[in-house]
Amino acid sequence: MRFELRDRRRQQEIAAVIRGYWKDGVTVPWFDLAHRFRLSQSDMEQIVALDDDRLQKRREQSARVTQLADQAFDSQHGRCEWDSVIKKLDMPLMECLGLFDASLSSVPVRSLPKIVDWLPDDFLLLKDFVQRFPDTLTADDQRLVSAFMNVKQANCAMAYSMCIRPRMKADLFELITSYHDKDMSWKDIYQQIPVFASIDRLQGAYWHFKAKTFSGHKPATSRVRWTSAETARFHEIVRLHYSHGGKYNCLRVAECEFPDKPLQSVKCKFEKIFHGQRTIAVADMKRVKALVDEHDSTEETTANRLFWNSDDEARLLHLVTLYDPRAVDWATISSELRRNVSACKHKYRQLRKQREPKRVTEHADTVSSAVKELYTQNQSVDWARVSESVGLSERECLEANQFGDGKARWIYDPDTFSWDMANRMTAFIETNYSPPLPVNYTAVSNYMWIERDDCFKMAGLLRGEMTWTKDVLAKVVELRGQGMKYKDIARQLSPNLTAEKVSYAYRRHTKPIRYVPPSAEVKQQIRALVDKHAEQLPFLELR
C-alpha cells in the first residue's frame, strides 16, 4: 500500500465518511475527499474494504460468542456460565460480554423489576461484578452488566443504585415485616436480603422507615397542593433564568412568583423541579428510547444523546466543511445530528484540538525550512507560496511554522500608536478563528511577523486590558488637564477600554500620599536621639 495509517481511528473515520455518502444515496465526491485526506480514490476504496473485513470478522466473533453463551446457559440459575465461554475462546470476560449480541440469542432475558425479586446469590454476584467499574456506570457498562446477569438493563440499573446507596422501600419493608411475622432473626433476614452494608444498617433503615411512615405525620390534606400550571411555571423559570444567574436567582424568582405559598414549600418544590430538570434518571431511559424511536426510525438513533460514536464525529466534521468558517449554520447541523447547538460546537472544538496539533506537528520541520528559505531570499514570507510548496493550507502553515528570526517587537506608545496594525490582526482572527475555534497566537505571530508575547499584549489592549505604565498615566494626566472627559480618554487609548478604568487609574495616581516611610538617614537620627536620652525617657520598670 502506498499510504500508511498510523492509527485505526483515522481509518474508521475515512470509511465512515464514505459510507455516509453511500447511505444517503449521494455520489461520493472523491476529489474533495482526496484533497481532505491526502489519499487517492483507490487508496480510500481499499480502506473501506479493509474496514468491511474488520466488521465482518467482528460479526462472526459476535455470533460465535452468542452461540457459546446459549450453550452454557444454566436454566436453574437463569444466567450463562461465562467461565466456560472464556475457557473455550481464550478471551477476557469484558471482551466476551462486549461481543455478545442479545438479538441473536435464544435465551429469554429475565425481568426483575423489584428488589425483592432478586435472589440473594444474584444480588451478591451483581455487587461483586460492578466493583470492576467506576462509581457511575455508562450506557455501555450497563449493557455488559445486563449480559452478564441475563437481566433487563433497566432492572440492573435499579439494583446497581441499591448497591451504591441502599435505601428502604415499601416492597422491601413489607418483605422484612413478613419475615418478622415468621419469627426470623435479623441475621437470617440479612442473609435473605444482602442489600445493606451490615445488619445494623438494615435494622436502622427498617425502624426509620416504619417511624416515618406510621408515626404521627400531618394528614395529606394539610400539605400544599401545586397545580399543573404552577408546575409548568416552575419548569419555565428554571429554563429561562438558570443560565443567567444560576440556581440562586432561579429560587429568588420562584419565591417572588408565588408569594401566597409558604416559603419552605416553594423551596422544596423548586429543588424537585431543578434536580429533575437537570438530570435524567436511569430508570427513565427505556421510556426516552421509546419516544425517540417513535419520532425517528433510523438505526443510529439512541436514547442517550450524550455519547458520540465515530460515525457522528465524521458526519459533524463533514457538515462543518460545507460552510464558510466565518458563517457556519450550526442550527442546520444540530437538526441534522439531532443534538443541541452547544453540544455540536463543543464536540467540534474537541475534534479540532485532537486532530490539528498532530497534523501541524508532523509538518513543522518542512514548513519551517520553506519559510526560512523564502525569508532569507526576500526578507519577507509569501504564505501562498509556502502553502503551495508544502501541500497544506495557509492557516496550517502559519500554525506549524517555528522559524521566527527577524520578527519585530511591538511596544504600546500612546503618542505614536496607530490602530492599523491592530485592525489587521483583528481581521485575521475573525477570518480564521471564528467561534467556537480558539485563537492560535502562534499563527497570529507568524502572520503579523511580530513576537508572540507582543501579539498577546495587543489582543489584550483590544479587549480593554490596559497596562498602566508611567507613560500611559502621564498621557492620561495630560489629557485630563486639557479638560477631556474620561470616556473620550478611554476611546483614545483603546476602543474597548471603559471610562471607569481610566477614572480609577487617574484618581489612584493623582491622590495625595498619606504616609511616607522614613528614610535611612531619619532612622539613624532617631536611634542617636534614643541612645542619648535613654536614661531620661519614661520607660516602665521591667519585672
Side-chain angles (χ1 to χ4, degrees):
M1 294 176 63
R2 291 177 296 172
F3 57 91
E4 294 182 1
L5 295 173
R6 297 191 176 184
D7 54 1
R8 187 180 297 177
R9 189 175 183 84
R10 178 171 172 80
Q11 180 178 357
Q12 294 176 1
E13 175 190 351
I14 296 172
V17 172
I18 297 174
R19 288 198 190 96
Y21 288 111
W22 288 345
K23 182 177 180 180
D24 296 339
V26 182
T27 303
V28 180
W30 295 108
F31 179 78
D32 295 341
L33 295 180
H35 178 73
R36 175 181 172 184
F37 296 111
R38 308 293 178 182
L39 298 173
S40 63
Q41 179 178 350
S42 59
D43 293 340
M44 288 186 285
E45 290 177 346
Q46 191 172 358
I47 288 175
V48 177
L50 291 174
D51 197 62
D52 290 339
D53 295 339
R54 181 186 64 82
L55 293 177
Q56 181 62 28
K57 291 180 181 179
R58 183 173 179 83
R59 283 192 290 267
E60 293 176 356
Q61 286 183 343
S62 178
R64 175 61 176 166
V65 170
T66 306
Q67 181 182 4
L68 292 177
D70 291 348
Q71 295 175 1
F73 177 71
D74 186 0
S75 58
Q76 182 179 359
H77 296 88
R79 58 177 181 268
C80 172
E81 296 294 339
W82 286 100
D83 293 338
S84 60
V85 178
I86 294 172
K87 292 180 181 179
K88 291 181 181 179
L89 296 176
D90 194 16
M91 294 170 59
L93 174 60
M94 293 302 174
E95 188 173 352
C96 291
L97 293 175
L99 292 172
F100 178 77
D101 190 354
S103 61
L104 302 177
S105 177
S106 59
V107 175
V109 182
R110 294 185 295 171
S111 177
L112 304 175
K114 298 181 180 180
I115 194 64
V116 295
D117 298 334
W118 287 71
L119 297 176
D121 295 340
D122 290 340
F123 199 84
L124 292 175
L125 185 64
L126 175 66
K127 291 177 66 175
D128 180 66
F129 183 73
V130 296
Q131 291 178 357
R132 311 175 186 217
F133 301 99
D135 294 338
T136 303
L137 290 181
T138 63
D140 193 56
D141 294 339
Q142 293 177 13
R143 186 181 65 83
L144 299 181
V145 175
S146 176
F148 180 77
M149 299 298 301
N150 192 33
V151 180
K152 290 184 178 181
Q153 186 170 335
N155 303 153
C156 289
M158 178 272 300
Y160 171 74
S161 65
M162 288 292 292
C163 289
I164 60 175
R165 194 180 66 176
R167 54 195 178 278
M168 185 64 61
K169 293 186 176 182
D171 53 354
L172 193 60
F173 177 80
E174 293 177 358
L175 181 61
I176 296 176
T177 304
S178 64
Y179 288 153
H180 266 296
D181 296 339
K182 298 178 183 179
D183 296 332
M184 291 181 62
S185 63
W186 281 106
K187 182 177 180 181
D188 297 336
I189 295 175
Y190 179 73
Q191 292 178 356
Q192 295 295 325
I193 311 175
V195 178
F196 293 85
S198 63
I199 299 177
D200 295 336
R201 294 285 182 87
L202 177 61
Q203 290 179 346
Y206 176 82
W207 296 119
H208 179 74
F209 185 86
K210 184 175 181 179
K212 180 180 178 181
T213 307
F214 300 103
S215 61
H217 275 271
K218 294 183 180 180
T221 56
S222 64
R223 297 179 183 176
V224 177
R225 299 292 183 181
W226 296 92
T227 63
S228 58
E230 292 173 339
T231 303
R233 180 57 182 158
F234 265 108
H235 284 283
E236 186 179 2
I237 289 172
V238 174
R239 180 174 58 83
L240 294 177
H241 298 278
Y242 176 74
S243 59
H244 300 289
K247 182 178 177 182
Y248 179 79
N249 279 2
C250 289
L251 182 57
R252 297 285 80 78
V253 173
E255 291 175 359
C256 297
E257 188 72 18
F258 304 100
D260 55 332
K261 301 285 187 180
L263 183 60
Q264 188 63 29
S265 299
V266 175
K267 289 183 179 180
C268 294
K269 184 66 175 178
F270 174 79
E271 290 292 336
K272 291 181 181 179
I273 296 297
F274 180 82
H275 292 291
Q277 193 162 335
R278 302 298 299 174
T279 58
I280 299 178
V282 178
D284 295 335
M285 293 301 295
K286 184 177 181 180
R287 182 174 60 84
V288 176
K289 185 177 186 303
L291 293 175
V292 175
D293 293 339
E294 180 181 354
H295 291 83
D296 191 356
S297 59
T298 56
E299 295 181 357
E300 290 82 7
T301 303
T302 57
N304 194 343
R305 304 300 295 170
L306 297 177
F307 301 96
W308 293 73
N309 54 32
S310 57
D311 295 341
D312 292 339
E313 294 176 354
R315 186 66 174 165
L316 173 62
L317 292 174
H318 168 66
L319 291 174
V320 174
T321 55
L322 299 179
Y323 298 94
D324 185 4
R326 292 169 293 179
V328 179
D329 191 354
W330 290 105
T332 304
I333 294 175
S334 65
S335 61
E336 288 283 341
L337 298 175
R338 297 182 61 82
R339 298 176 185 272
N340 295 332
V341 174
S342 58
C344 295
K345 288 183 178 181
H346 180 68
K347 189 62 181 180
Y348 179 68
R349 191 184 300 112
Q350 286 183 337
L351 295 176
R352 286 297 302 268
K353 286 183 180 180
Q354 294 174 3
R355 286 165 172 75
E356 290 297 333
K358 183 177 181 181
R359 176 177 172 81
V360 168
T361 306
E362 293 176 352
H363 302 84
D365 296 338
T366 307
V367 173
S368 301
S369 301
V371 172
K372 182 178 181 180
E373 182 179 354
L374 285 176
Y375 186 80
T376 304
Q377 295 175 359
N378 307 322
Q379 295 299 313
S380 62
V381 181
D382 186 357
W383 293 103
R385 292 179 56 185
V386 176
S387 174
E388 183 179 355
S389 62
V390 177
L392 299 175
S393 64
E394 292 187 19
R395 189 179 72 181
E396 291 175 337
C397 294
L398 289 168
E399 294 176 354
N401 176 45
Q402 303 295 330
F403 176 75
D405 295 348
K407 284 188 176 181
R409 294 298 308 273
W410 179 85
I411 301 175
Y412 175 72
D413 188 351
D415 295 325
T416 61
F417 178 70
S418 174
W419 291 102
D420 296 338
M421 187 177 298
N423 294 334
R424 182 184 171 208
M425 183 180 72
T426 303
F428 174 78
I429 293 175
E430 292 178 351
T431 303
N432 295 275
Y433 297 100
S434 57
L437 295 180
V439 180
N440 189 322
Y441 282 96
T442 300
V444 176
S445 173
N446 291 325
Y447 175 76
M448 304 291 295
W449 207 249
I450 297 175
E451 293 293 339
R452 188 169 183 268
D453 294 340
D454 295 339
C455 291
F456 271 119
K457 295 179 182 178
M458 189 186 301
L461 183 65
L462 293 174
R463 293 192 299 267
E465 301 173 2
M466 176 66 68
T467 302
W468 300 101
T469 60
K470 294 182 178 179
D471 297 336
V472 176
L473 290 172
K475 184 68 176 179
V476 173
V477 173
E478 177 185 354
L479 296 177
R480 187 63 180 168
Q482 298 175 4
M484 188 177 292
K485 297 181 179 179
Y486 287 122
K487 62 179 182 179
D488 298 330
I489 298 175
R491 191 179 300 110
Q492 182 171 344
L493 295 177
S494 175
N496 294 321
L497 188 63
T498 60
E500 289 76 8
K501 292 184 178 180
V502 178
S503 174
Y504 177 76
Y506 174 78
R507 286 185 283 105
R508 186 176 181 180
H509 177 70
T510 57
K511 70 179 180 180
I513 301 176
R514 299 180 179 179
Y515 169 74
V516 178
S519 61
E521 298 178 356
V522 174
K523 291 181 179 179
Q524 291 180 359
Q525 293 178 4
I526 294 174
R527 292 193 187 97
L529 291 174
V530 170
D531 295 339
K532 181 178 180 181
H533 303 284
E535 297 180 355
Q536 303 176 4
L537 290 176
F539 288 115
L540 294 177
E541 183 180 359
L542 298 178
R543 295 181 180 179

